[in-house]
Amino acid sequence: MAPYRIGFKRSKRLSIVVGLGLMTMAAGIWAALSPRGGEAAFRPSSASLAEEASAALDRPSVEERDEVYDLVIRGGRVINPETKLDRTGLSVAVKDGTIALVTDQPLRGKKVIDAAGLVVAPGFIDNLSYDPNPLGVWNKIADGVTTNIAMHGGTSTPAKWYPYYERNRPPVHYGASFFYTQARNRFQLSRYATASAEQSAELAAQAEKALNDGALGISFSLEYVPGITSKEIMPLMKLARKYNVPVYFHGRYSDMEEPGTNFDTIRELVGYARASGAAVHIDHINSTGGTFSMKQSLGMVSEARSGGLDITSCVYPYDYWGTYLNSARFDNGWQDRFRISYRDLQIAGTNERLTAGTFRKYRKEGKLAVAYAIPEDDVVEALRAPYVMIGSDAILEPGFNNHPRASGTFARTIGLYVRDRKVISLTDAIAKLSLLPAKRLERQAPALKKKGRIARGMDADFVIFDYGEIRDMSTVEKPNLPSAGIRYVIVGGRIALDPQGLHKEVRAGKPIKSEFLRVPADYAVADWDGASTPLLDYRNAMYFDLEALRAHGYGYEWDEVSKTFALRPDASAGGGEIRVPKPAAGELMLERGCLLRWDGGQTEVLSVGDRTYVPLSLLQALGWKLNRDVGGEFAWTIRSA
């Protein structure tokens, strides 16, 4: 493939000629990529959080103040974890399922919620849940959850899974991972057996199809299927890196008894991240990977993150776990591993504690039991880690055969660990309940870029609660009891819960899917001082190859740890010829979280194969002025400001 060549003239004049198939370039050329679709990409690096929070308030025009909105939430304490906005007496306006305004000025609505004395937060996102069954979803709503994502489990066939739930119309938004265990079961392998090379290749191909069908990532349950080895895992890790999706792991070991300890679990998962470059998420570190060793386990994760690896985790706010008695977790030696006895096991949905005899009986039946086996300090340590979010690891099933976390995880986090025990702040808790789960998955699931925040243009998903009253009510004996203190839950601008109760006719949930954009066969071409370079249209913003900046007196340096390019004027640049290759048609265009920084600003960049593309609007931030040539054939000029 012949590369484009860019000559090194010192002029700052640029004529851009748009190629075939991109006739809508003018409408979106200056929309810059950012974590939130409508937010400016070029934010001064010195902006303080306080300035951000203040800027988050809208100043409505006369027309906006006079409009009658679909819904107005009036007078509440509004918390937006992204900007650190935490202010009372604000009004939030909703129009067509979207937040129209967040302001301290009075607004009118067809429906008005008086939120005085209440907290208005983004709808909670449970990213470590299971399938949104028609019973459990209503307990999620009652716990403030507006988005239920099955990343602990999921589906091997999202092409069937998503349409099924679209027909069932859940009240919550929903999505799923590619569940490797379920896919592997097609070969009828024992949980202690390892797949062959041929079987692994088939599973990798199935996983790639699943990602293209909308799966949000890949999930493994190594403790429950100990036969899965690195020979099966690494092809999926490389696939996850290629598609820029995270891999969720229930780790291999959950204790500190040799052979196989929590440290081995963390080392294994960090090793996969390092070897592949893929993002890793550690499921419920309080019960797997951190029990009895939380400070050390978190220290290992923090060290890996400081070295540039993308690793996150989650916790559920309980000091007891639960699983099926016939699982590998209860193989011989479980009493020593988990430092418990039969009396520390309780059958979910009952008050029955176990004996040796009833353990054998219920193990044959595959009953679900709760195990009182997590030190309280481990939960506290995990909650304080900045990269640890909240995930329930449960959804209530028919028969109420579940851990109380299926109904109370989110209210318990705030009521017990924020208000009563003051382990973390309310703003940090709201981030762990909403923003962090959204950010974990949003790079390839753009729907999540509009969730977990309260700001203009975001989705109108809210939970409104009484901070003094919010608490979990579910227990091991009665895991179906809904949480208290949550006054309203709003999904897509529609009220699913209010003081009168659940409104089961409200089915506003929408699918959350990965979406992959690829380089088209025809793309725009820039005439840059008489030479050509490609332009790519990514979500209504135009991008060009970073290397092209060398033709205009700039150089850059890459920092692997911070994933940042540092752009700087370079007097030595421009003395030769830069060869910028054509992007290959069909190549994935991906947001890998990498940044370009310069003196006074920063922006996210785009990865296309092994190339880096930057927003065309960067040139304005660097001091050039763009004008469209009247009468030109989609031509633009760039001059010194």
Side-chain angles (χ1 to χ4, degrees):
M1 179 180 294
Y4 285 104
R5 295 192 175 110
I6 301 179
F8 287 147
K9 298 180 181 179
R10 286 293 179 182
S11 168
K12 290 186 179 179
R13 188 176 189 275
L14 171 63
S15 176
I16 301 170
V17 181
V18 180
L20 296 176
L22 294 173
M23 305 297 285
T24 59
M25 170 180 155
I29 191 169
W30 301 120
L33 178 66
S34 70
R36 301 191 296 144
E39 185 181 21
F42 304 110
R43 180 179 296 158
S45 57
S46 61
S48 69
L49 292 176
E51 289 170 338
E52 275 194 277
S54 177
L57 288 186
D58 297 311
R59 296 291 173 236
S61 65
V62 173
E63 292 78 10
E64 288 174 324
R65 286 200 304 269
D66 290 342
E67 185 168 350
V68 179
Y69 295 93
D70 297 334
L71 173 67
V72 169
I73 304 168
R74 180 181 295 164
R77 176 185 175 186
V78 176
I79 295 179
N80 180 2
E82 184 172 55
T83 62
K84 305 299 183 183
L85 173 68
D86 182 352
R87 185 166 161 183
T88 59
L90 299 185
S91 291
V92 182
V94 174
K95 182 178 180 180
D96 298 328
T98 299
I99 298 173
L101 291 170
V102 181
T103 182
D104 55 5
Q105 299 186 29
L107 300 171
R108 297 187 297 161
K110 298 173 186 175
K111 293 182 180 178
V112 175
I113 292 175
D114 182 0
L118 303 176
V119 175
V120 182
F124 301 148
I125 299 172
D126 190 350
N127 79 142
L128 205 75
S129 187
Y130 296 85
D131 292 0
N133 75 75
L135 172 67
V137 288
W138 294 107
N139 285 65
K140 293 293 183 187
I141 289 285
D143 201 27
V145 173
T146 58
T147 301
N148 180 89
I149 301 177
M151 295 301 290
H152 198 358
T155 177
S156 59
T157 54
K160 296 179 180 178
W161 190 92
Y162 279 103
Y164 174 81
Y165 287 104
E166 286 181 50
R167 291 192 298 271
N168 280 268
R169 300 174 58 239
V172 291
H173 308 300
Y174 53 93
S177 72
F178 172 75
F179 186 23
Y180 186 78
T181 299
Q182 185 184 93
R184 190 180 190 270
N185 286 341
R186 63 188 276 206
F187 298 116
Q188 298 182 327
L189 293 167
S190 158
R191 64 190 178 198
Y192 302 102
T194 301
S196 67
E198 293 77 13
Q199 290 168 335
S200 291
E202 285 188 45
L203 289 166
Q206 185 177 354
E208 184 163 20
K209 181 180 186 305
L211 293 175
N212 282 287
D213 288 337
L216 295 169
I218 297 167
S219 60
F220 287 97
S221 295
L222 303 184
E223 186 174 21
Y224 293 119
V225 193
I228 297 174
T229 70
S230 62
K231 292 180 180 179
E232 291 184 62
I233 294 167
M234 279 308 298
L236 277 292
M237 295 299 299
K238 292 176 181 177
L239 182 69
R241 169 63 183 175
K242 175 183 175 181
Y243 279 85
N244 195 39
V245 297
V247 183
Y248 278 52
F249 282 98
H250 177 123
R252 196 176 298 276
Y253 307 112
S254 299
D255 59 79
M256 289 302 294
E257 300 300 314
E258 296 284 1
T261 69
N262 289 332
F263 298 156
D264 295 311
T265 285
I266 302 299
R267 279 193 288 266
E268 179 180 9
L269 303 187
V270 168
Y272 293 143
R274 181 171 289 116
S276 65
V280 162
H281 182 87
I282 303 169
D283 298 347
H284 45 57
I285 197 168
N286 57 319
S287 62
T288 310
T291 313
F292 315 125
S293 65
M294 187 59 72
K295 286 186 178 180
Q296 299 97 316
S297 294
L298 291 172
M300 294 170 71
V301 176
S302 296
E303 182 180 4
R305 285 171 54 86
S306 68
L309 299 184
D310 186 357
I311 304 177
T312 55
S313 187
C314 62
V315 61
Y316 50 80
Y318 293 84
D319 58 359
Y320 49 95
W321 48 262
T323 194
Y324 295 97
L325 290 170
N326 60 352
S327 75
R329 198 172 177 99
F330 284 106
D331 284 353
N332 289 339
W334 59 267
Q335 295 101 319
D336 292 333
R337 292 198 304 275
F338 301 126
R339 306 178 188 179
I340 56 176
S341 68
Y342 294 111
R343 288 291 301 168
D344 295 308
L345 302 179
Q346 182 176 347
I347 297 299
T350 76
N351 60 6
E352 182 179 1
R353 297 292 185 111
L354 299 191
T355 65
T358 55
F359 175 82
R360 289 191 294 271
K361 174 178 182 288
Y362 291 142
R363 191 161 201 236
K364 290 179 181 178
E365 297 175 6
K367 289 273 192 179
L368 189 143
V370 162
Y372 296 94
I374 301 175
E376 172 74 11
D377 287 348
D378 286 350
V379 178
V380 170
E381 290 290 340
L383 281 168
R384 286 175 173 157
Y387 53 84
V388 174
M389 59 199 75
I390 305 300
S392 72
D393 185 26
I395 189 168
L396 193 70
E397 300 285 350
F400 304 157
N401 184 33
N402 219 315
H403 190 292
R405 65 195 179 206
S407 301
T409 290
F410 293 81
R412 182 180 177 90
T413 299
I414 296 172
L416 182 60
Y417 287 101
V418 177
R419 183 192 61 227
D420 295 348
R421 299 188 183 174
K422 298 178 174 54
V423 172
I424 54 176
S425 71
L426 180 57
T427 300
D428 286 345
I430 297 300
K432 290 175 180 290
L433 297 167
S434 59
L435 181 65
L436 267 62
K439 293 180 75 66
R440 173 71 285 177
L441 296 165
E442 70 184 10
R443 289 178 188 163
Q444 296 313 138
L448 288 171
K449 292 184 178 183
K450 294 191 173 184
K451 300 190 185 300
R453 298 99 164 162
I454 297 182
R456 186 198 292 259
M458 299 297 103
D459 290 340
D461 299 335
F462 306 98
V463 54
I464 304 174
F465 59 88
D466 185 327
Y467 182 57
E469 296 295 329
I470 188 170
R471 59 175 42 85
D472 61 310
M473 302 298 291
S474 57
T475 64
V476 175
E477 295 80 7
K478 295 182 178 180
N480 61 310
L481 295 179
S483 295
I486 294 177
R487 301 291 184 247
Y488 296 87
V489 176
I490 299 165
V491 185
R494 300 180 64 192
I495 299 172
L497 172 72
D498 65 14
Q500 283 68 54
L502 292 165
H503 294 280
K504 294 193 173 182
E505 75 282 1
V506 174
R507 305 296 184 97
K510 295 182 179 179
I512 307 291
K513 297 182 178 183
S514 287
E515 297 178 15
F516 301 101
L517 299 184
R518 298 175 182 269
V519 174
D522 296 316
Y523 45 78
V525 176
D527 178 1
W528 197 324
D529 286 334
S532 297
T533 192
L535 291 177
L536 297 180
D537 185 347
Y538 181 81
R539 304 194 189 282
N540 296 320
M542 303 303 292
Y543 288 75
F544 66 94
D545 196 309
L546 173 62
E547 189 70 8
L549 280 168
R550 291 192 186 275
H552 292 272
Y554 284 92
Y556 54 85
E557 294 178 354
W558 168 249
D559 183 79
E560 178 64 28
V561 173
S562 65
K563 310 300 181 188
T564 300
F565 293 93
L567 188 69
R568 49 172 171 64
D570 185 355
S572 65
E577 185 174 66
I578 292 293
R579 298 170 65 85
V580 179
K582 294 180 181 179
E587 190 84 66
L588 288 163
M589 299 187 287
L590 300 169
E591 302 170 42
R592 295 196 182 276
C594 302
L595 295 174
L596 177 73
R597 287 183 177 146
W598 65 95
D599 186 15
Q602 68 179 41
T603 185
E604 290 196 29
V605 300
L606 200 62
S607 294
V608 183
D610 60 356
R611 309 296 299 177
T612 297
Y613 277 66
V614 296
L616 190 61
S617 47
L618 166 69
L619 299 179
Q620 283 184 312
L622 294 179
W624 281 289
K625 183 178 180 181
L626 178 74
N627 290 299
R628 183 176 177 181
D629 290 340
V630 178
E633 185 183 355
F634 299 101
W636 300 75
T637 59
I638 291 180
R639 300 179 184 276
S640 298

